[in-house]
């Protein structure tokens, strides 16, 4: 396993639309494992392949407190949504910022698991929010897109400055 580099906003590669995974090969399984390791190390509760510059529809999530319930979603699709919930969201690609975003409160999804098997999942609250946030990444979308232009520009400038200082 390996820790992967996470792209940071405003890196334009985060805007790439992820492609559907046709075959869940060993390469995909290995990527899912590396992404889980990267997410746990960060630490975070969700990571989309887009964030490690792989533009395929793969997400990993673990919202459990003891980090023992990894969830791998391949080609996830929301088939039903209900209600609204607002919460402060953060993102490993936008370090240090937490802003309120409105999401569906309950969602039903269809996806493939780590072995490529189809499954259905109903999620609410934090898990539902997390899945929607990660699915946005696959569509090239970030949580800052829900904020005002002004707010997004401030975050963009501050992160660019930090990124420059690092190199
Ligand atoms: Ni994110």
């Amino acid at each position: 396993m390996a820790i992967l580099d996470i792209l940071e906003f405003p890196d334009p590669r985060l805007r790439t639309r992820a492609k559907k995974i046709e075959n869940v090969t060993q390469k995909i399984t290995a990527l899912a494992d590396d992404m889980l390791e990267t997410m746990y190390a960060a630490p975070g509760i969700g990571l989309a392949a887009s964030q490690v510059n792989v533009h395929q529809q793969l997400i990993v999530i673990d919202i459990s407190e003891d980090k023992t319930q990894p969830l791998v979603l391949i080609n996830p699709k929301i088939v039903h949504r209900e209600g609204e919930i607002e919460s402060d969201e953060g993102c490993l690609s936008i370090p240090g910022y937490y802003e309120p975003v409105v999401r569906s409160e309950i969602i039903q999804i269809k996806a493939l698991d780590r072995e490529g098997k189809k499954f259905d999942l109903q999620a609410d609250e934090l898990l539902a929010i997390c899945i929607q946030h990660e699915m946005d990444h696959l569509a090239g979308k970030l949580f800052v897109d829900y904020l005002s232009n002004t707010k997004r520009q401030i975050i963009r400038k501050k992160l660019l400055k930090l990124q420059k200082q690092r190199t």
Side-chain angles (χ1 to χ4, degrees), residues 46 51 90-93 133-134 137 142-143:
Q51 292 176 274
C91 179
L92 293 175
S93 295
H133 175 114
E134 300 311 330
H137 277 299
L142 301 168
F143 86 79

Side-chain angles (χ1 to χ4, degrees), residues 25-70:
T25 56
Q26 213 185 336
K27 214 176 147 189
I28 295 293
T29 312
L31 173 62
D33 292 343
D34 284 346
M35 282 171 57
L36 278 165
E37 196 184 1
T38 304
M39 177 189 79
Y40 288 133
I45 57 170
L47 188 69
S50 321
Q51 292 176 274
V52 295
N53 201 28
V54 178
H55 302 288
Q56 304 205 59
Q57 294 179 20
L58 169 60
I59 289 168
V60 297
I61 290 173
D62 191 340
I63 59 159
S64 70
E65 245 166 61
D66 53 359
K67 306 288 169 209
T68 53
Q69 285 168 57

Side-chain angles (χ1 to χ4, degrees), residues 93-148:
S93 295
I94 309 169
Y97 291 89
Y98 299 86
E99 297 289 341
V101 178
V102 178
R103 303 280 187 186
S104 300
E105 188 178 10
I106 302 169
I107 56 169
Q108 267 171 33
I109 64 154
K110 282 187 186 295
L112 302 178
D113 67 13
R114 189 181 171 278
E115 274 73 49
K117 248 198 290 172
K118 279 186 193 170
F119 73 104
D120 296 281
L121 178 72
Q122 177 160 320
D124 63 6
E125 297 182 0
L126 181 59
L127 183 57
I129 292 164
C130 197
I131 292 172
Q132 290 169 82
H133 175 114
E134 300 311 330
M135 283 184 69
D136 269 0
H137 277 299
L138 300 181
K141 208 166 168 183
L142 301 168
F143 86 79
V144 288
D145 298 350
Y146 297 99
L147 310 179
S148 70

